[in-house]
Amino acid sequence: MRTTVGIVGAGPAGLLLARLLHNAGIESVVLESRDRRYVEQRQRAGILEQGTVDVLREAGVGARMDREGLPHDGIELRFDRRRHRVDFPALTGGRQVMVYAQTEVCKDLIAARLADGGPLLFEAEALAVEGAETDRPRVRFRHEGREDVLDCDYVVGCDGFWGVSREAVPAALSRTYERTYPFGWLGILADVAPSHDELVYARSDRGFALLSMRSPTVTRAYLQVPADTDAADWSAEEIWDELDRRLEVDDPGWRLARGPVTSTSVTPMRSYVHEPMRHGRLFLAGDAAHIVPPTGAKGLNLAVGDVVTFARALIALRDTGDATPLDTYSETCLRRVWQAERFSYAMTTMLHRAPDATAFDDRIQLARLDRVTTARSAETDLAEGYTGFPL
């Protein structure tokens, strides 16, 4: 097989890149190790930044998002039994976010790819990326029981942290930066209308809690738990009781709505960056290059930024002959990545109680939250970070 851009991974990053390239008249082939059903059902992110929403609309895949997604103009912070709403449009010049699950984004992009007629191979396991230093890189993969080769001009690795793309970057050239947190998120989906019309981020002495949603009838919620927690050790009643305790405020008018829990899972918390994000004609995007703790809702949005940067750079090379945007892909992406890492780390450490936290640590957290809720400059920084850094 031969194509211009070989895309490894059919998550939102790989699928969006294929769409952007198709719209620009550039050929690509997408290889995905899982089957279509898995890609369309795996639960991941649910918050789209303003820039991501704009890109999906411009790419012609935003119609269902605009019909079914839930635009949000803010979030609520809870701490010390107090409530404070952060008004995004008032602080950012009109920016907001959209609640629209990654599963739905993938469904829309898959449907568009199939309608376009572009090659999208499910159950095609990438085995290795070879020849990244040459002008003819290739991807060895297994599909339908036999090995094959995809020859490309460029390879974009959108295959996540455990994929093969990053392995093609020589260890001598790689630098990694990471932090593993001593806690995770116990998450639930429940068939009950959300208890609040915006996301609620709560800091308590018992740990962090997040009240979110997937739709007007489905609640998504999270509890900070020890990193080695088994979701099966928590009953639905215990989860609702703990959410009640951590979300408690001095407001008799607010109540947590309970309903049937349909799924539970534990998400680890980690910060990770691989530099560089380019090696020869191999370009890393999304979780293949960086991971953020979910507190800042940045993972999917960072991946979108990566593939938009690559698509724009390749189009510029074709249309103007200027290779500078492609040559500086890694530097351009990493500036945005590190700002997102900073924001996600700040949100995580401000809201989660460490297992060895002291009374001093607790007071520092409360002081940080008090600053955000009383100083417009601090609140603006949070709103700008949450709604997204420029693409």
Side-chain angles (χ1 to χ4, degrees), residues 120-143:
L120 170 55
L121 278 61
F122 290 104
E123 299 181 85
E125 179 189 5
L127 303 174
V129 176
E130 300 172 339
E133 305 90 345
T134 73
D135 60 0
R136 285 292 181 90
R138 63 184 206 163
V139 183
R140 282 196 301 107
F141 68 98
R142 183 183 296 110
H143 185 236

Side-chain angles (χ1 to χ4, degrees), residues 104-174:
E104 306 310 310
V105 174
C106 287
K107 289 174 186 175
D108 296 340
L109 289 167
I110 288 171
R113 180 68 172 177
L114 296 178
D116 294 339
L120 170 55
L121 278 61
F122 290 104
E123 299 181 85
E125 179 189 5
L127 303 174
V129 176
E130 300 172 339
E133 305 90 345
T134 73
D135 60 0
R136 285 292 181 90
R138 63 184 206 163
V139 183
R140 282 196 301 107
F141 68 98
R142 183 183 296 110
H143 185 236
E144 295 180 342
R146 66 178 185 275
E147 286 195 20
D148 205 340
V149 173
L150 176 63
D151 291 302
C152 320
D153 294 330
Y154 305 93
V155 175
V156 182
C158 305
D159 49 345
F161 183 79
W162 301 108
V164 301
S165 296
R166 193 176 62 254
E167 296 176 1
V169 182
L173 302 178
S174 299

Side-chain angles (χ1 to χ4, degrees), residues 175-179 181 271-277 289-292 298 302 306 330-346 389:
R175 300 179 301 278
T176 59
Y177 307 87
E178 61 185 314
R179 176 181 291 272
Y181 300 88
S271 299
Y272 174 87
V273 179
H274 178 280
E275 297 184 3
M277 290 177 58
H290 43 73
I291 295 171
V292 289
K298 290 283 156 275
L302 273 183
D306 295 342
S330 184
E331 294 87 343
T332 301
C333 290
L334 284 169
R335 281 195 296 273
R336 189 167 181 269
V337 166
W338 278 112
Q339 285 301 316
E341 293 282 355
R342 174 195 64 82
F343 176 76
S344 298
Y345 174 81
F389 302 103

Side-chain angles (χ1 to χ4, degrees), residues 40-114:
E40 292 186 337
Q41 291 189 357
R42 58 184 166 190
Q43 292 294 329
R44 292 292 190 273
I47 304 295
L48 307 183
E49 296 174 354
Q50 182 71 65
T52 298
V53 170
D54 294 342
V55 166
L56 292 173
R57 288 171 177 160
E58 292 166 7
V61 288
R64 192 165 71 93
M65 172 190 70
D66 284 330
R67 288 196 310 271
E68 301 178 12
L70 305 174
H72 279 202
D73 286 336
I75 59 172
E76 182 173 288
L77 298 175
R78 294 190 182 186
F79 63 101
D80 205 21
R81 302 182 63 87
R82 296 154 52 190
R83 305 175 67 175
H84 177 86
R85 181 176 185 267
V86 179
D87 187 332
F88 293 156
L91 295 161
T92 64
R95 295 172 69 83
Q96 58 179 193
V97 296
M98 179 80 77
V99 176
Y100 192 63
Q102 176 175 315
T103 51
E104 306 310 310
V105 174
C106 287
K107 289 174 186 175
D108 296 340
L109 289 167
I110 288 171
R113 180 68 172 177
L114 296 178

